[in-house]
Amino acid sequence: MPATFQLIAAHPVLDFVNTLDNRFIDAGPTELLCGYADLLRFAEQAGLIDAKRAGALARRKNSAAATKALAAALELREALAALLYGRWSSARPPSADIIKTLERKFLEADEHRALVWNSRLSDQGATSRVDWAWGRFETNPEFPVWVLAQSAARLLTSTAMSRVHMCHSETCRWLFLDTSKNHTRRWCDMKVCGNRMKARSFHARRVG
Ligand SMILES: [Zn+2]
């Protein structure tokens, strides 16, 4: 039975950053993306790719391309983490290297768009046009990384950034998007926060 990710962040990019768990405790961190199959499972559970696509990509999980894609995902995740957590530390603003890495990742995602013909006929006449889609790039093992990068680019350049917070629990510090009406959310999830170490240790191996 594959493990289920605890998606509490109200945004897939923040849930993605939370896949390196226990970032700020002495015994941490705990890597939840130990292989390419974990990345696919996360992307599917977070609604970034559909089950059919995840299944097709999973057939290549032991390829060199899959190993490269996982490394690219982790590089993206840690650059995002450095930038997002850095906002709470005036002593350590994100370095120029971090910004450059994110710029490269976001531009890479943009480069993998296919121009597709959308044929439409309606009462108003022909409204056919071309649209941008992932198209043939959906079969590349790096596809989930590009989807994440595109979503991250949108989030990081939006006003929603002011509602990205971290859990108030010192041993948690998971990120989330505060979608509460009065912007008063303080915790990732009261139930999850208290129990997650226990709940997850069965599938996560410790790194670092
Ligand atoms: Zn928490």
Side-chain angles (χ1 to χ4, degrees):
M1 178 78 183
T4 303
F5 288 90
Q6 287 167 323
L7 307 175
I8 54 80
H11 196 289
V13 168
L14 303 179
D15 281 319
F16 178 53
V17 173
N18 294 340
T19 61
L20 186 69
D21 199 8
N22 303 320
R23 279 179 184 274
F24 303 109
I25 65 170
D26 290 344
T30 308
E31 179 60 83
L32 302 182
L33 301 181
C34 297
Y36 183 69
D38 295 329
L39 175 66
L40 287 179
R41 210 175 64 251
F42 169 80
E44 186 189 339
Q45 288 176 16
L48 295 166
I49 62 175
D50 64 29
K52 191 176 156 208
R53 177 57 56 208
L57 289 171
R59 287 197 283 277
R60 298 178 62 187
K61 67 183 177 193
N62 296 320
S63 67
T67 303
K68 183 170 162 263
L70 177 65
L74 300 185
E75 186 188 32
L76 171 65
R77 184 188 67 186
E78 293 316 300
L80 289 168
L83 184 133
L84 290 166
Y85 284 110
R87 296 184 314 143
W88 289 286
S89 165
S90 56
R92 284 195 304 169
S95 68
D97 281 355
I98 293 296
I99 304 287
K100 276 279 175 205
T101 299
L102 289 173
E103 179 185 85
R104 174 168 51 82
K105 294 282 183 189
F106 296 170
L107 290 174
E108 264 172 31
D110 271 350
E111 279 169 12
H112 294 92
R113 310 306 305 280
L115 199 58
V116 296
W117 175 243
N118 245 328
S119 184
R120 294 175 197 157
L121 279 175
S122 70
D123 293 344
Q124 286 78 41
T127 56
S128 303
R129 63 179 203 201
V130 286
D131 284 312
W132 288 112
W134 293 108
R136 63 190 179 278
F137 297 111
E138 289 188 33
T139 59
N140 189 303
E142 279 199 53
F143 174 54
V145 187
W146 298 327
V147 177
L148 276 160
Q150 189 191 62
S151 183
R154 285 201 195 113
L155 174 66
L156 265 56
T157 56
S158 77
T159 55
M161 278 289 275
S162 65
R163 288 186 284 116
V164 174
H165 299 305
M166 63 177 166
C167 179
H168 272 210
S169 161
E170 277 181 25
T171 56
C172 174
R173 295 305 192 213
W174 268 8
L175 298 177
F176 60 84
L177 186 66
D178 183 2
T179 55
S180 66
K181 199 174 164 201
N182 299 320
H183 297 179
T184 52
R185 183 175 166 188
R186 294 289 174 266
W187 308 91
C188 63
D189 182 299
M190 285 302 273
K191 274 185 243 147
V192 169
C193 201
N195 298 320
R196 66 197 184 86
M197 299 267 295
K198 198 168 101 192
R200 287 169 172 180
S201 53
F202 77 96
H203 71 81
R205 76 180 157 84
R206 197 143 277 186
V207 297

